[in-house]
Amino acid sequence: MSPRKRPLLPVSSRRKAVDDFFPFNLLPVECQLHVLSFLNEVDKCSCALVCLSWSCLVRSWKLWRVADYSRRGVFHLGQEGLLVSNREFERWKSWVHHYTHHLISRRASLLTLKASFDLGDRCHKWSELLTHLLDNVHCRDLSHLDLNWTFTLLEPLDLRVHTSSSSHQDSITKMDQVNSFQELLTKLTHSCPRISKMRLHFDWSDESVSLLTQFQQLRVLELKYFWVFKGVTPSTLQTLTKSLPNLKSLTLHILVPLRNLGISYTLESRSIEFLDVSPSRGLVFSCLNLPALRELRAKKIVRGITLDRRTRLRIQSRWPCLYHVLREGTPKLQTLNNERLLPTWRDQMYGEMSAILDQSCYCVQHLDSWLW
């Protein structure tokens, strides 16, 4: 019996079938990896189920360059104060540990690390989890760090009634957070010396400032609130900016405590081109030495404090006008609060800047009602 013959296809149909087929597996491995690098973590895992060759590709450390604990797949976006059930939190915590194991098993070579964990949490030990991750992946080339070490995403709110000793317990918790943060920062200085972009909450202690200044490759830095009652001394701020020679962009979230009203700050840097202090409250500059600065954002925020006129004028009289500070210390300034300045702004007394200064300057000339 003659073997069964395959039906013949028209030449045009055969050409169409060949044209529709793209030989992905015939590409060089580096090209295949480059294509797969555009996928997120979930899609990469789906690709690993296609075939054995794709599974081997997805296991490559070159595809695992980002450790993003804020990307939770099916979990909704967490926010501070969000009501979360214990069951949902346990699911998320399980996901965190599986995700960490996954990155370690892939021998990830990290470029970016994003996380939000309460490092002072002795129960869940998030600090140990991050340390374990850094110990078991390649992080020498880590360049971007986005870390909130004061708050754990999707953690259920504590609705218990606190006793009078709760303030003392809060202080202990804050100290645990700071100690764990400093331990992690110390590890990062040794394991990840090439970090160029950093966004984190900061406690402004001498130890933390000393550790932060060791990241000599920093180009973009954003320091957020840690504890509103923690003040920042002028010398500490000046030491930080002078010790980072490659810093190009600096964003500061500083709340000057009431006991420090009247204090002004000096900022000095040869490299800073962008400075944003608009999230800060009560931060007043007496001197700026920023020869490379091109853009500044500053905002005057009402503090809700009631002072008599004599006390208010005594405090305000200590502060120079922002216009004079900028004219003397920022020769390349081009933009103020998103407003493009004319090249002749230094030759005019306020001029076009009057409206902008009313919103950003704390001096007597431009300040009449910031203390209510």
Side-chain angles (χ1 to χ4, degrees):
M1 183 175 179
S2 60
R4 186 175 182 181
K5 295 183 179 180
R6 296 181 181 178
L8 295 178
L9 295 175
V11 176
S12 59
S13 300
R14 281 183 287 176
R15 287 177 179 174
K16 183 177 181 181
V18 173
D19 293 341
D20 289 343
F21 173 73
F22 181 76
F24 180 80
N25 290 341
L26 299 182
L27 291 174
V29 174
E30 292 299 327
C31 293
Q32 296 181 37
L33 291 174
H34 181 69
V35 172
L36 294 177
S37 67
F38 292 97
L39 303 177
N40 59 38
E41 278 83 350
V42 176
D43 291 338
K44 289 174 186 175
C45 293
S46 299
C47 288
L49 302 176
V50 173
C51 61
L52 181 60
S53 61
W54 281 30
S55 178
C56 294
L57 280 175
V58 172
R59 292 178 183 274
S60 172
W61 58 268
K62 295 181 180 180
L63 290 182
W64 304 99
R65 312 285 272 175
V66 177
D68 188 356
Y69 288 93
S70 63
R71 185 187 300 167
R72 294 173 297 280
V74 297
F75 298 95
H76 57 76
L77 201 59
Q79 299 176 355
E80 295 188 21
L82 185 69
L83 290 177
V84 178
S85 66
N86 290 321
R87 182 178 180 180
E88 185 177 17
F89 175 70
E90 291 299 326
R91 288 180 58 224
W92 176 78
K93 186 172 68 172
S94 176
W95 174 86
V96 167
H97 286 280
H98 280 91
Y99 183 51
T100 303
H101 174 75
H102 176 80
L103 292 172
I104 294 174
S105 64
R106 297 295 181 271
R107 298 180 181 178
S109 179
L110 298 183
L111 296 178
T112 300
L113 173 59
K114 298 181 180 181
S116 180
F117 296 120
D118 180 0
L119 297 188
D121 190 337
R122 299 180 180 180
C123 177
H124 299 105
K125 300 180 180 180
W126 302 118
S127 179
E128 295 182 9
L129 181 139
L130 288 179
T131 301
H132 178 63
L133 173 69
L134 295 175
D135 284 336
N136 292 277
V137 299
H138 180 76
C139 55
R140 194 73 180 175
D141 296 328
L142 187 71
S143 60
H144 181 193
L145 175 67
D146 189 342
L147 176 64
N148 182 351
W149 48 274
T150 67
F151 174 76
T152 301
L153 290 174
L154 292 182
E155 185 171 15
L157 291 177
D158 187 1
L159 301 178
R160 294 174 300 177
V161 178
H162 296 281
T163 62
S164 57
S165 61
S166 60
S167 58
H168 176 67
Q169 184 62 38
D170 288 343
S171 300
I172 296 177
T173 301
K174 296 293 183 184
M175 291 305 301
D176 289 341
Q177 289 176 329
V178 171
N179 292 334
S180 298
F181 166 67
Q182 291 176 349
E183 292 176 2
L184 181 62
L185 199 59
T186 301
K187 184 168 189 61
L188 289 170
T189 59
H190 297 96
S191 304
C192 318
R194 300 174 185 173
I195 295 179
S196 60
K197 183 177 181 180
M198 189 178 292
R199 181 175 180 264
L200 44 76
H201 291 68
F202 202 61
D203 66 296
W204 290 103
S205 65
D206 293 338
E207 176 68 18
S208 297
V209 171
S210 177
L211 291 170
L212 188 59
T213 56
Q214 297 184 35
F215 294 94
Q216 293 292 291
Q217 302 300 319
L218 269 178
R219 297 176 63 85
V220 179
L221 178 62
E222 181 177 356
L223 300 178
K224 306 185 72 175
Y225 298 119
F226 164 60
W227 202 7
V228 295
F229 302 107
K230 176 65 176 179
V232 182
T233 63
S235 60
T236 299
L237 183 58
Q238 187 174 6
T239 299
L240 177 64
T241 55
K242 291 177 64 177
S243 302
L244 298 174
N246 296 303
L247 190 63
K248 299 295 184 181
S249 174
L250 176 62
T251 302
L252 296 174
H253 301 240
I254 295 177
L255 193 151
V256 179
L258 298 183
R259 65 178 182 275
N260 294 338
L261 279 180
I263 293 180
S264 56
Y265 294 79
T266 298
L267 203 61
E268 182 177 349
S269 173
R270 310 297 297 181
S271 59
I272 291 180
E273 298 178 359
F274 173 82
L275 176 63
D276 185 1
V277 295
S278 58
S280 300
R281 295 189 177 187
L283 184 62
V284 180
F285 293 112
S286 59
C287 179
L288 292 177
N289 184 9
L290 305 173
L293 186 69
R294 297 181 180 275
E295 182 175 356
L296 171 66
R297 296 179 186 176
K299 184 178 181 181
K300 179 171 59 182
I301 300 178
V302 174
R303 298 289 298 275
I305 311 166
T306 302
L307 294 177
D308 59 83
R309 179 176 176 81
R310 183 177 179 181
T311 303
R312 178 167 61 85
L313 291 176
R314 186 174 69 251
I315 294 176
Q316 291 177 244
S317 62
R318 304 176 187 175
W319 298 330
C321 180
L322 181 62
Y323 170 80
H324 299 293
V325 174
L326 296 177
R327 188 174 64 175
E328 296 174 4
T330 59
K332 295 184 178 181
L333 185 66
Q334 299 176 354
T335 306
L336 178 60
N337 288 352
N338 298 317
E339 296 288 341
R340 188 77 174 182
L341 301 177
L342 294 176
T344 59
W345 69 268
R346 293 178 185 81
D347 302 328
Q348 305 173 5
M349 190 59 179
Y350 304 139
E352 60 166 331
M353 298 179 63
S354 296
I356 305 176
L357 291 173
D358 288 339
Q359 301 174 0
S360 55
C361 183
Y362 286 93
C363 74
V364 175
Q365 292 90 333
H366 299 97
L367 182 60
D368 184 43
S369 60
W370 83 282
L371 296 175
W372 288 354

